[in-house]
Structures are given as C-alpha cells and as structure tokens.
C-alpha cells in the first residue's frame, strides 16, 4: 500500500477507534445557555464514540461541555444547562441588595459535585474517568487574570477541576471578585480568550475544530450592553471588565 494511502487508512481507523490524533484540537466557546448547542454536538459525538482530539480547550460553558465530553457523560451538560442554570437559586437580581453575587456559582457547582440521595440520577462529574481519558489527551480550561486581564490556561486534576470550571465561568460584577487560584483571582475566560484558537496553534495543533455558539458576524456591543455600561460606569471610572 502506498505510504500516503496507508497514512490515511491509519487516520480513519483512529477516528473509528476514538484514538487521539497528533496535532488535532477542539476549541469550545462559552456563552451560558447558548452552550446547549455545543452540548448537543458533543452528545452526538459521544454516541458515536468520536473523539480524535489530542488537545481540547474550553472557555466558560465551553469548558463545562468539554468536561462532560472527556468524562463521557452523555446528557450531563444538557441537564446542567437546562436545570441548574435556569433555577432561581442560580440567578437573582435581588441578591446584590443583600451583598451577595447575582450569579450563585457556589450553589451551581455544589450540585455538580454531589450524587443524588437514591443514586437514580447523578449530576456528579466522573472525574476519575476524565483523568483516565487525559492520560492520552490534554484538556485546558481558560480563565482571565482579574489583575491584568490576561488569559490563563490550566490543566485540570482531581483537586482543582471544579474550581477551574467555576473560575472560567465567573463573570465580573455578577460573581464578586472571582475565584482565587494560587495567588491570583481568576474570572471568566471569555473576557480574554473567547475563542482560544491561537493558543491551540501555539501548542502545536494544525487541525483545529471550533464549536461556536454565536455567528461569526455577531457584534458584542449590543444595545443591552450599552445600557449596562451606562448603569455601571460613572463619569470618572468604569470597571475594566466592561
């Protein structure tokens, strides 16, 4: 068999066998409830046992989706988005009046960390299975350093996985100062690297699949953002996150 045909046959076999292929990457955008789009794609891939990616990078909801993809828990991200993030316990405009965060990420990730009492349904990420998968792949969770607003990329492990997911989803103004990791506070990765394709390229990926939750032509400066900015910012200063 000619070398080029043999190489193509090997790659096709790897795709079917769920074997990671060198220099491939999957990048998943965040976007809160829009992450349901990504969840649907990844669940379909799980059904087909399709995961040829050597490197996976996720931001915010994208990081949560990739986590359930790596742990091979079909439907996990779907339930988290439709149940937890739709709950009044998660989002409340009245909580800031009590000195609390508008978005209660602590409650949200408490749900992700526990098993149901009767074990009939579990919302717990299977971190052990995920770590087994990561013996042959790399997962990066993106955050933003709140002091300089530069992107940070972390490898999850048994101890820090849920903390990194919380930090990657911690929108400034809505979740206090962010999540402390090492000596710095980290906030939503979408502020500095909403689509970290460049990071994937820097790390050697040459075949990169990007899962977006917004169309390419989407303009971030929508009317509601301008109204929020006028409400939050004073005449002399404006939070850097804006």
């Amino acid at each position: 068999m000619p070398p080029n045909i043999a190489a193509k046959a090997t790659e096709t076999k790897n795709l079917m066998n769920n074997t990671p292929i060198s220099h491939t990457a999957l990048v998943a955008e965040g976007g809160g409830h829009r992450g349901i789009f990504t969840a649907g794609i990844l669940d379909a891939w799980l059904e087909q046992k399709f995961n040829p990616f050597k490197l996976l990078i996720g931001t915010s909801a994208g990081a949560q989706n990739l986590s359930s993809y790596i742990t091979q828990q079909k439907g996990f991200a779907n339930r988290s988005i439709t149940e937890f993030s739709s709950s009044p316990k998660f989002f409340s405009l009245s909580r800031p009046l009590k000195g609390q965060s508008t978005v209660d990420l602590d409650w949200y990730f408490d749900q992700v960390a526990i098993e149901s009492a009767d074990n009939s349904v579990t919302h717990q990420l299977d971190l052990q299975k995920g770590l087994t998968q990561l013996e042959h792949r790399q997962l990066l969770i993106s955050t933003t350093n709140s002091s300089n607003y530069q992107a940070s990329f972390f490898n999850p492990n048994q101890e820090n996985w849920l903390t990194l997911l919380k930090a990657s989803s911690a929108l400034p103004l809505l979740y206090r100062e962010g999540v402390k990791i090492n000596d710095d506070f980290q906030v939503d990765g979408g502020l500095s690297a909403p689509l970290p394709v460049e990071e994937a390229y820097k790390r050697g990926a040459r075949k990169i699949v990007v899962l977006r939750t917004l169309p390419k032509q989407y303009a971030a400066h929508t009317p509601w953002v301008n109204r929020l900015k006028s409400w939050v910012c004073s005449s002399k200063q404006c939070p850097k996150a804006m």
Side-chain angles (χ1 to χ4, degrees), residues 31-36 61 64 76-93 95 102-105 107-109 111-112 123:
H33 283 88
R34 296 195 309 271
I36 198 70
Q64 295 180 46
F76 183 93
N78 185 318
R79 289 195 304 273
S80 298
I81 292 170
T82 56
E83 294 180 27
F84 299 151
S85 61
S86 299
S87 169
K89 294 181 180 179
F90 176 67
F91 183 88
S92 172
L93 289 173
R95 275 201 295 265
T102 304
V103 172
D104 192 345
L105 287 177
W107 173 85
Y108 181 94
F109 283 102
Q111 311 313 302
V112 174
H123 292 292

Side-chain angles (χ1 to χ4, degrees), residues 120-139:
S120 59
V121 178
T122 178
H123 292 292
Q124 187 178 44
L125 270 177
D126 190 345
L127 300 184
Q128 197 55 53
K129 181 178 285 186
L131 293 171
T132 300
Q133 287 290 308
L134 293 180
E135 291 175 2
H136 308 289
R137 314 173 196 275
Q138 183 181 24
L139 171 64

Side-chain angles (χ1 to χ4, degrees), residues 106-172:
D106 301 318
W107 173 85
Y108 181 94
F109 283 102
D110 281 346
Q111 311 313 302
V112 174
I114 61 175
E115 295 185 56
S116 62
D118 59 2
N119 293 320
S120 59
V121 178
T122 178
H123 292 292
Q124 187 178 44
L125 270 177
D126 190 345
L127 300 184
Q128 197 55 53
K129 181 178 285 186
L131 293 171
T132 300
Q133 287 290 308
L134 293 180
E135 291 175 2
H136 308 289
R137 314 173 196 275
Q138 183 181 24
L139 171 64
L140 293 176
I141 296 175
S142 76
T143 64
T144 299
N145 189 305
S146 64
S147 62
N148 56 24
Y149 276 73
Q150 296 299 304
S152 302
F153 297 91
F154 294 94
N155 293 289
N157 56 43
Q158 183 81 36
E159 288 72 34
N160 70 7
W161 201 319
L162 294 181
T163 300
L164 293 178
L165 289 179
K166 184 189 293 186
S168 188
S169 303
L171 279 167

Side-chain angles (χ1 to χ4, degrees), residues 43-75:
D43 279 352
W45 287 356
L46 283 174
E47 286 182 356
Q48 300 300 318
K49 296 181 171 56
F50 175 81
N51 184 356
F53 306 105
K54 187 73 173 177
L55 172 65
L56 303 94
I57 308 180
T59 297
S60 191
Q64 295 180 46
N65 272 307
L66 289 185
S67 293
S68 62
Y69 184 47
I70 283 291
T71 60
Q72 301 180 341
Q73 291 172 276
K74 179 178 176 290

